[in-house]
Coordinates of all heavy atoms in Angstrom, one line a residue:
M986 N 91.8 25.2 -25.6 CA 90.5 25.1 -26.3 C 89.5 24.6 -25.3 O 89.6 23.6 -24.7 CB 90.7 24.1 -27.4 CG 89.4 24.0 -28.2 SD 89.5 22.6 -29.4 CE 90.0 23.4 -30.8
S987 N 88.4 25.4 -25.1 CA 87.4 25.1 -24.2 C 86.2 24.5 -24.9 O 85.9 24.8 -26.0 CB 86.9 26.3 -23.4 OG 86.2 27.2 -24.2
Q988 N 85.6 23.5 -24.3 CA 84.5 22.9 -24.9 C 83.2 23.3 -24.1 O 83.1 23.1 -22.9 CB 84.7 21.4 -24.8 CG 83.5 20.6 -25.4 CD 83.8 19.1 -25.3 OE1 84.8 18.6 -24.9 NE2 82.8 18.3 -25.7
K989 N 82.3 23.8 -24.8 CA 81.0 24.2 -24.2 C 80.1 23.0 -24.2 O 79.8 22.4 -25.2 CB 80.4 25.3 -25.0 CG 79.1 25.9 -24.4 CD 78.5 27.0 -25.2 CE 77.2 27.4 -24.6 NZ 76.6 28.5 -25.4
T990 N 79.6 22.7 -23.0 CA 78.7 21.6 -22.8 C 77.3 22.2 -22.6 O 77.1 23.1 -21.8 CB 79.0 20.7 -21.7 OG1 79.1 21.4 -20.5 CG2 80.4 20.0 -22.0
E991 N 76.3 21.6 -23.2 CA 74.9 22.1 -23.1 C 74.1 20.9 -22.5 O 74.4 19.7 -22.7 CB 74.3 22.5 -24.4 CG 75.0 23.7 -25.0 CD 74.3 24.1 -26.3 OE1 73.2 23.7 -26.6 OE2 75.0 24.8 -27.1
I992 N 73.2 21.3 -21.7 CA 72.3 20.3 -21.1 C 71.2 19.9 -22.2 O 70.6 20.8 -22.8 CB 71.6 20.8 -19.8 CG1 72.7 21.1 -18.8 CG2 70.6 19.8 -19.3 CD1 72.1 21.7 -17.5
D993 N 71.1 18.6 -22.4 CA 70.1 18.1 -23.3 C 68.7 18.5 -22.8 O 68.4 18.1 -21.7 CB 70.3 16.6 -23.5 CG 69.4 16.1 -24.6 OD1 68.6 16.8 -25.2 OD2 69.6 14.9 -25.0
P994 N 67.8 19.1 -23.6 CA 66.5 19.5 -23.1 C 65.6 18.3 -22.7 O 64.7 18.4 -21.9 CB 65.9 20.2 -24.3 CG 66.7 20.0 -25.4 CD 68.1 19.6 -24.9
V995 N 66.0 17.1 -23.2 CA 65.2 15.9 -22.8 C 65.3 15.6 -21.3 O 64.4 15.2 -20.7 CB 65.7 14.7 -23.7 CG1 65.0 13.4 -23.2 CG2 65.3 14.9 -25.1
Y996 N 66.5 15.9 -20.8 CA 66.7 15.6 -19.4 C 66.1 16.7 -18.5 O 66.0 16.4 -17.3 CB 68.2 15.5 -19.1 CG 68.9 14.3 -19.8 CD1 69.8 14.5 -20.8 CD2 68.5 13.0 -19.5 CE1 70.3 13.4 -21.5 CE2 69.1 12.0 -20.1 CZ 70.0 12.2 -21.1 OH 70.5 11.1 -21.8
T997 N 65.7 17.8 -19.0 CA 65.1 18.8 -18.1 C 63.6 18.8 -18.1 O 63.0 19.5 -17.4 CB 65.6 20.2 -18.6 OG1 65.1 20.4 -19.9 CG2 67.1 20.4 -18.5
E998 N 63.0 17.9 -19.0 CA 61.6 17.8 -19.0 C 61.1 17.0 -17.8 O 61.8 16.2 -17.2 CB 61.1 17.0 -20.3 CG 61.4 17.7 -21.5 CD 61.0 16.9 -22.8 OE1 60.4 15.8 -22.6 OE2 61.2 17.4 -23.9
Q999 N 59.9 17.3 -17.4 CA 59.3 16.6 -16.3 C 59.0 15.2 -16.7 O 58.6 14.9 -17.9 CB 58.0 17.3 -15.8 CG 58.2 18.6 -15.1 CD 57.0 19.1 -14.5 OE1 55.9 18.7 -14.8 NE2 57.1 20.1 -13.7
I1000 N 59.1 14.3 -15.8 CA 58.7 12.9 -16.1 C 57.2 12.7 -16.3 O 56.4 13.3 -15.6 CB 59.2 11.9 -14.9 CG1 60.7 12.0 -14.8 CG2 58.7 10.5 -15.1 CD1 61.3 11.3 -13.6
G1001 N 56.9 12.0 -17.3 CA 55.5 11.8 -17.6 C 55.3 10.9 -18.8 O 56.2 10.1 -19.1
H1002 N 54.2 11.0 -19.5 CA 53.9 10.3 -20.7 C 54.0 8.8 -20.4 O 54.6 8.0 -21.2 CB 54.8 10.7 -21.9 CG 54.6 12.1 -22.3 ND1 53.5 12.5 -22.9 CD2 55.4 13.2 -22.1 CE1 53.6 13.8 -23.1 NE2 54.7 14.2 -22.6
G1003 N 53.4 8.3 -19.3 CA 53.4 6.9 -19.0 C 54.6 6.3 -18.4 O 54.7 5.1 -18.3
N1004 N 55.5 7.1 -17.9 CA 56.7 6.6 -17.2 C 56.4 6.4 -15.8 O 56.7 7.2 -14.9 CB 57.9 7.6 -17.4 CG 59.2 7.0 -16.9 OD1 59.2 5.8 -16.7 ND2 60.2 7.8 -16.9
S1005 N 55.6 5.3 -15.5 CA 55.2 5.0 -14.1 C 55.1 3.5 -14.0 O 55.1 2.7 -14.9 CB 53.8 5.7 -13.8 OG 52.8 5.0 -14.6
V1006 N 54.9 3.1 -12.7 CA 54.8 1.7 -12.4 C 53.6 1.1 -13.1 O 53.6 0.0 -13.7 CB 54.7 1.5 -10.9 CG1 54.4 0.0 -10.6 CG2 56.0 1.9 -10.2
A1007 N 52.5 1.9 -13.0 CA 51.2 1.4 -13.7 C 51.4 1.2 -15.2 O 50.9 0.2 -15.7 CB 50.1 2.4 -13.4
A1008 N 52.0 2.2 -15.8 CA 52.2 2.1 -17.3 C 53.1 0.9 -17.7 O 52.8 0.2 -18.6 CB 52.7 3.4 -17.8
W1009 N 54.2 0.8 -16.9 CA 55.1 -0.3 -17.2 C 54.5 -1.7 -17.0 O 54.6 -2.6 -17.8 CB 56.4 -0.2 -16.4 CG 57.3 0.8 -17.0 CD1 57.5 2.1 -16.5 CD2 58.2 0.6 -18.1 NE1 58.5 2.7 -17.3 CE2 58.9 1.8 -18.3 CE3 58.5 -0.4 -19.0 CZ2 59.8 2.0 -19.3 CZ3 59.4 -0.3 -20.0 CH2 60.1 1.0 -20.1
A1010 N 53.7 -1.8 -15.9 CA 53.1 -3.1 -15.7 C 52.0 -3.4 -16.7 O 51.9 -4.6 -17.2 CB 52.4 -3.1 -14.3
C1011 N 51.3 -2.4 -17.1 CA 50.3 -2.6 -18.2 C 50.9 -3.0 -19.5 O 50.5 -4.0 -20.1 CB 49.5 -1.3 -18.3 SG 48.3 -1.2 -19.7
V1012 N 51.9 -2.3 -19.9 CA 52.6 -2.6 -21.2 C 53.3 -3.9 -21.2 O 53.1 -4.7 -22.2 CB 53.5 -1.4 -21.6 CG1 54.4 -1.8 -22.8 CG2 52.8 -0.2 -21.9
L1013 N 54.0 -4.2 -20.2 CA 54.7 -5.5 -20.1 C 53.8 -6.7 -20.1 O 54.0 -7.7 -20.8 CB 55.7 -5.5 -18.9 CG 56.9 -4.6 -19.1 CD1 57.7 -4.7 -17.8 CD2 57.7 -5.0 -20.3
T1014 N 52.7 -6.6 -19.3 CA 51.7 -7.7 -19.3 C 51.0 -7.9 -20.7 O 50.9 -9.0 -21.2 CB 50.6 -7.4 -18.2 OG1 51.2 -7.2 -17.0 CG2 49.6 -8.5 -18.1
M1015 N 50.7 -6.7 -21.3 CA 50.1 -6.8 -22.6 C 51.1 -7.4 -23.7 O 50.7 -8.1 -24.6 CB 49.5 -5.5 -23.0 CG 48.4 -5.0 -22.2 SD 47.9 -3.3 -22.6 CE 47.3 -3.4 -24.2
M1016 N 52.3 -7.0 -23.5 CA 53.3 -7.5 -24.5 C 53.5 -9.0 -24.3 O 53.6 -9.7 -25.4 CB 54.7 -6.8 -24.2 CG 55.7 -7.1 -25.3 SD 57.3 -6.2 -25.1 CE 56.8 -4.5 -24.7
V1017 N 53.5 -9.5 -23.1 CA 53.7 -11.0 -22.9 C 52.5 -11.7 -23.5 O 52.6 -12.7 -24.2 CB 53.8 -11.3 -21.4 CG1 53.6 -12.8 -21.1 CG2 55.2 -10.8 -20.9
G1018 N 51.3 -11.1 -23.3 CA 50.1 -11.7 -23.9 C 50.1 -11.7 -25.4 O 49.7 -12.7 -26.0
A1019 N 50.5 -10.6 -26.0 CA 50.6 -10.5 -27.4 C 51.6 -11.5 -28.1 O 51.3 -12.1 -29.1 CB 50.9 -9.1 -27.8
I1020 N 52.7 -11.6 -27.4 CA 53.8 -12.5 -27.9 C 53.3 -13.9 -27.8 O 53.4 -14.7 -28.8 CB 55.1 -12.3 -27.2 CG1 55.7 -11.0 -27.6 CG2 56.1 -13.4 -27.5 CD1 56.9 -10.5 -26.7
A1021 N 52.7 -14.3 -26.7 CA 52.2 -15.6 -26.5 C 51.0 -15.9 -27.5 O 50.9 -17.0 -28.1 CB 51.7 -15.8 -25.1
G1022 N 50.2 -14.9 -27.7 CA 49.1 -15.0 -28.7 C 49.6 -15.2 -30.1 O 49.0 -16.0 -30.9
G1023 N 50.7 -14.5 -30.4 CA 51.3 -14.7 -31.8 C 51.8 -16.1 -32.0 O 51.7 -16.7 -33.0
I1024 N 52.5 -16.6 -31.0 CA 53.0 -18.0 -31.0 C 51.9 -19.0 -31.1 O 51.9 -19.9 -32.0 CB 53.9 -18.3 -29.8 CG1 55.2 -17.4 -29.9 CG2 54.3 -19.8 -29.7 CD1 56.0 -17.4 -28.6
A1025 N 50.8 -18.8 -30.3 CA 49.7 -19.7 -30.4 C 49.0 -19.6 -31.8 O 48.6 -20.6 -32.3 CB 48.7 -19.3 -29.3
F1026 N 48.9 -18.4 -32.3 CA 48.2 -18.3 -33.6 C 49.0 -19.0 -34.7 O 48.4 -19.6 -35.6 CB 48.1 -16.8 -33.9 CG 47.4 -16.5 -35.2 CD1 46.0 -16.5 -35.3 CD2 48.1 -16.2 -36.4 CE1 45.3 -16.3 -36.4 CE2 47.4 -15.9 -37.6 CZ 46.0 -15.9 -37.6
A1027 N 50.3 -18.8 -34.6 CA 51.2 -19.5 -35.6 C 51.1 -21.0 -35.6 O 51.3 -21.7 -36.6 CB 52.6 -19.0 -35.5
N1028 N 50.9 -21.5 -34.4 CA 50.7 -23.0 -34.2 C 49.3 -23.5 -34.2 O 49.0 -24.6 -34.0 CB 51.4 -23.4 -32.8 CG 52.9 -23.2 -32.8 OD1 53.5 -23.6 -33.8 ND2 53.4 -22.7 -31.8
L1029 N 48.4 -22.6 -34.6 CA 47.0 -22.9 -34.7 C 46.4 -23.5 -33.4 O 45.6 -24.4 -33.4 CB 46.7 -23.8 -35.8 CG 47.1 -23.3 -37.2 CD1 46.9 -24.3 -38.3 CD2 46.3 -22.0 -37.5
N1030 N 46.9 -23.0 -32.3 CA 46.4 -23.4 -30.9 C 45.4 -22.4 -30.5 O 45.8 -21.4 -29.8 CB 47.5 -23.6 -30.0 CG 47.1 -24.2 -28.7 OD1 45.9 -24.2 -28.3 ND2 48.1 -24.7 -27.9
W1031 N 44.1 -22.5 -30.8 CA 43.1 -21.5 -30.6 C 42.8 -21.3 -29.1 O 42.5 -20.2 -28.7 CB 41.9 -21.8 -31.4 CG 42.2 -21.8 -32.9 CD1 42.2 -22.9 -33.7 CD2 42.6 -20.7 -33.6 NE1 42.6 -22.5 -34.9 CE2 42.8 -21.2 -34.9 CE3 42.9 -19.3 -33.4 CZ2 43.3 -20.3 -36.0 CZ3 43.3 -18.5 -34.4 CH2 43.5 -19.0 -35.7
T1032 N 42.9 -22.3 -28.3 CA 42.6 -22.2 -26.9 C 43.7 -21.3 -26.3 O 43.3 -20.3 -25.5 CB 42.6 -23.6 -26.2 OG1 41.6 -24.4 -26.8 CG2 42.3 -23.4 -24.7
F1033 N 44.9 -21.6 -26.5 CA 46.0 -20.8 -26.0 C 46.0 -19.4 -26.5 O 46.3 -18.4 -25.8 CB 47.3 -21.5 -26.2 CG 48.5 -20.9 -25.5 CD1 48.5 -20.8 -24.1 CD2 49.6 -20.3 -26.2 CE1 49.6 -20.2 -23.5 CE2 50.6 -19.7 -25.6 CZ 50.6 -19.7 -24.2
F1034 N 45.6 -19.2 -27.8 CA 45.4 -17.9 -28.4 C 44.5 -17.0 -27.6 O 44.7 -15.9 -27.2 CB 45.0 -18.0 -29.8 CG 44.7 -16.7 -30.5 CD1 45.7 -15.8 -30.9 CD2 43.4 -16.3 -30.6 CE1 45.4 -14.6 -31.5 CE2 43.0 -15.1 -31.2 CZ 44.0 -14.2 -31.6
W1035 N 43.3 -17.6 -27.3 CA 42.2 -16.8 -26.6 C 42.6 -16.5 -25.2 O 42.3 -15.5 -24.6 CB 40.9 -17.4 -26.8 CG 40.4 -17.2 -28.2 CD1 40.2 -18.2 -29.1 CD2 40.0 -16.0 -28.8 NE1 39.8 -17.6 -30.3 CE2 39.7 -16.3 -30.2 CE3 40.0 -14.7 -28.4 CZ2 39.3 -15.3 -31.0 CZ3 39.6 -13.7 -29.3 CH2 39.3 -14.0 -30.6
V1036 N 43.3 -17.5 -24.6 CA 43.8 -17.2 -23.2 C 44.8 -16.1 -23.2 O 44.8 -15.2 -22.3 CB 44.4 -18.5 -22.6 CG1 45.2 -18.2 -21.3 CG2 43.4 -19.6 -22.4
S1037 N 45.6 -16.1 -24.2 CA 46.6 -15.0 -24.4 C 46.0 -13.6 -24.6 O 46.4 -12.6 -24.1 CB 47.6 -15.3 -25.5 OG 48.3 -16.5 -25.3
M1038 N 44.9 -13.6 -25.4 CA 44.2 -12.4 -25.5 C 43.5 -11.9 -24.2 O 43.4 -10.7 -24.0 CB 43.1 -12.5 -26.7 CG 43.7 -12.7 -28.0 SD 44.8 -11.4 -28.6 CE 46.4 -12.2 -28.3
G1039 N 43.1 -12.9 -23.4 CA 42.7 -12.5 -22.1 C 43.7 -11.9 -21.2 O 43.5 -11.0 -20.4
V1040 N 45.0 -12.3 -21.4 CA 46.1 -11.7 -20.7 C 46.3 -10.3 -21.1 O 46.6 -9.4 -20.3 CB 47.4 -12.5 -20.9 CG1 48.6 -11.8 -20.3 CG2 47.3 -13.9 -20.2
V1041 N 46.1 -10.0 -22.4 CA 46.2 -8.6 -22.9 C 45.1 -7.7 -22.2 O 45.4 -6.6 -21.8 CB 46.0 -8.6 -24.5 CG1 45.9 -7.2 -25.0 CG2 47.2 -9.3 -25.1
V1042 N 43.9 -8.2 -22.2 CA 42.8 -7.5 -21.5 C 43.2 -7.3 -20.0 O 43.0 -6.3 -19.4 CB 41.5 -8.2 -21.7 CG1 40.4 -7.5 -20.9 CG2 41.1 -8.2 -23.2
L1043 N 43.7 -8.4 -19.4 CA 44.1 -8.3 -18.0 C 45.2 -7.2 -17.8 O 45.2 -6.5 -16.8 CB 44.7 -9.7 -17.5 CG 45.2 -9.7 -16.1 CD1 44.0 -9.6 -15.2 CD2 45.9 -11.1 -15.9
G1044 N 46.1 -7.0 -18.8 CA 47.1 -5.9 -18.7 C 46.4 -4.6 -18.6 O 46.9 -3.7 -17.9
L1045 N 45.4 -4.4 -19.4 CA 44.6 -3.1 -19.3 C 44.0 -2.9 -18.0 O 44.1 -1.8 -17.4 CB 43.5 -3.1 -20.4 CG 44.0 -2.9 -21.8 CD1 42.8 -3.1 -22.8 CD2 44.6 -1.5 -22.0
V1046 N 43.4 -3.9 -17.4 CA 42.8 -3.8 -16.1 C 43.8 -3.6 -15.1 O 43.6 -2.7 -14.2 CB 42.0 -5.1 -15.8 CG1 41.5 -5.1 -14.4 CG2 40.8 -5.3 -16.8
L1047 N 45.0 -4.3 -15.1 CA 46.0 -4.1 -14.2 C 46.5 -2.6 -14.2 O 46.7 -2.1 -13.1 CB 47.2 -5.0 -14.5 CG 48.4 -4.9 -13.6 CD1 48.1 -5.3 -12.2 CD2 49.5 -5.8 -14.2
G1048 N 46.7 -2.1 -15.4 CA 47.2 -0.7 -15.4 C 46.2 0.3 -14.8 O 46.6 1.2 -14.1
G1049 N 44.9 0.0 -15.0 CA 43.9 0.9 -14.4 C 43.8 0.8 -12.9 O 43.7 1.8 -12.2
V1050 N 43.9 -0.5 -12.4 CA 43.9 -0.7 -11.0 C 45.1 0.0 -10.3 O 45.0 0.6 -9.3 CB 43.8 -2.2 -10.7 CG1 44.1 -2.5 -9.2 CG2 42.5 -2.8 -11.1
L1051 N 46.3 -0.2 -10.9 CA 47.5 0.4 -10.3 C 47.4 1.9 -10.4 O 47.9 2.6 -9.5 CB 48.8 -0.1 -11.1 CG 49.2 -1.5 -10.7 CD1 50.3 -2.0 -11.6 CD2 49.5 -1.6 -9.3
K1052 N 46.9 2.5 -11.5 CA 46.7 3.9 -11.6 C 45.8 4.4 -10.5 O 46.1 5.4 -9.8 CB 46.2 4.3 -12.9 CG 46.0 5.8 -13.1 CD 45.6 6.2 -14.5 CE 45.4 7.7 -14.6 NZ 44.8 8.0 -15.9
A1053 N 44.7 3.7 -10.3 CA 43.7 4.1 -9.2 C 44.3 4.0 -7.8 O 44.0 4.7 -6.9 CB 42.5 3.2 -9.3
A1054 N 45.3 3.1 -7.7 CA 46.0 2.9 -6.4 C 47.1 3.9 -6.1 O 47.7 3.9 -5.1 CB 46.5 1.5 -6.3
G1055 N 47.3 4.8 -7.1 CA 48.3 5.8 -6.9 C 49.6 5.6 -7.6 O 50.6 6.3 -7.3
F1056 N 49.8 4.6 -8.4 CA 51.0 4.3 -9.0 C 51.2 4.8 -10.4 O 52.1 4.5 -11.1 CB 51.3 2.7 -9.1 CG 51.5 2.2 -7.7 CD1 50.5 1.5 -7.0 CD2 52.8 2.3 -7.1 CE1 50.8 1.0 -5.8 CE2 53.0 1.7 -5.9 CZ 52.0 1.1 -5.2
G1057 N 50.2 5.7 -10.9 CA 50.3 6.3 -12.2 C 51.1 7.6 -12.1 O 51.6 8.0 -11.1
V1058 N 51.2 8.2 -13.3 CA 51.9 9.5 -13.3 C 51.2 10.5 -12.4 O 50.1 10.7 -12.6 CB 52.0 10.0 -14.8 CG1 52.6 11.4 -14.8 CG2 52.8 9.0 -15.6
G1059 N 52.0 11.1 -11.5 CA 51.4 12.1 -10.6 C 50.6 11.5 -9.5 O 50.0 12.2 -8.7
G1060 N 50.7 10.2 -9.3 CA 49.9 9.5 -8.3 C 50.6 9.7 -6.9 O 51.8 10.1 -6.8
S1061 N 49.9 9.4 -5.9 CA 50.4 9.6 -4.5 C 51.5 8.7 -4.2 O 52.3 9.0 -3.3 CB 49.2 9.4 -3.5 OG 48.7 8.1 -3.6
R1062 N 51.6 7.5 -4.8 CA 52.7 6.6 -4.5 C 53.8 6.5 -5.6 O 54.7 5.8 -5.5 CB 52.1 5.2 -4.4 CG 51.1 5.0 -3.3 CD 50.7 3.6 -3.1 NE 49.7 3.5 -2.0 CZ 49.1 2.4 -1.7 NH1 49.3 1.3 -2.4 NH2 48.2 2.4 -0.7
S1063 N 53.7 7.4 -6.6 CA 54.6 7.3 -7.7 C 55.8 8.2 -7.5 O 56.8 8.1 -8.2 CB 54.0 7.7 -9.0 OG 53.5 9.1 -9.0
G1064 N 55.8 9.1 -6.5 CA 56.9 10.0 -6.3 C 58.2 9.3 -5.9 O 59.3 9.7 -6.3
A1065 N 58.2 8.2 -5.2 CA 59.4 7.5 -4.8 C 60.1 6.8 -6.0 O 61.3 6.6 -6.0 CB 59.1 6.5 -3.7
A1066 N 59.3 6.5 -7.0 CA 59.8 5.8 -8.2 C 60.6 6.7 -9.1 O 61.4 6.3 -9.9 CB 58.7 5.1 -8.9
H1067 N 60.4 8.0 -8.9 CA 61.1 9.0 -9.8 C 62.1 9.7 -9.0 O 62.4 10.7 -8.9 CB 60.1 9.9 -10.5 CG 59.0 9.2 -11.2 ND1 59.3 8.4 -12.3 CD2 57.7 9.1 -11.1 CE1 58.2 7.9 -12.8 NE2 57.2 8.3 -12.1

C-alpha cells in the first residue's frame, strides 16, 4: 500500500505578512507594554500605566526604525533571517 504525500501549500508560500525582525520586535515590545499596563490598571497605579502605554508607542517607533534600517519584509538586511 503506497501513501501519497502532498506538500502543504502553506510551506510553499513566500515569507511575508510581518514575518521579520522589525515586526517581531514591534509586536513583542508592544505586548510587554500592554501586559504591564493591564497589571498597572488593575492595581490602580496610574503612573506605571502611562509609562507602560509609552512602551507601547515605543514599540511602534521601534518597528518603524527597524523597517527603515532594512530589517522589514523584503528589506536589505532581512534575507539572512529567512
Side-chain angles (χ1 to χ4, degrees):
M986 180 190 266
S987 70
Q988 180 179 355
K989 182 179 177 184
T990 57
E991 295 181 18
I992 297 175
D993 189 351
V995 171
Y996 295 112
T997 60
E998 293 178 2
Q999 289 185 348
I1000 296 174
H1002 298 288
N1004 192 7
S1005 67
V1006 173
W1009 280 101
C1011 176
V1012 169
L1013 290 176
T1014 304
M1015 292 173 64
M1016 191 179 309
V1017 167
I1020 291 169
I1024 293 169
F1026 184 80
N1028 291 317
L1029 300 176
N1030 187 341
W1031 298 112
T1032 304
F1033 190 60
F1034 171 78
W1035 287 111
V1036 169
S1037 301
M1038 293 303 102
V1040 171
V1041 171
V1042 173
L1043 180 67
L1045 285 172
V1046 173
L1047 177 64
V1050 168
L1051 286 173
K1052 181 179 178 184
F1056 289 101
V1058 174
S1061 62
R1062 296 184 182 176
S1063 65
H1067 301 298

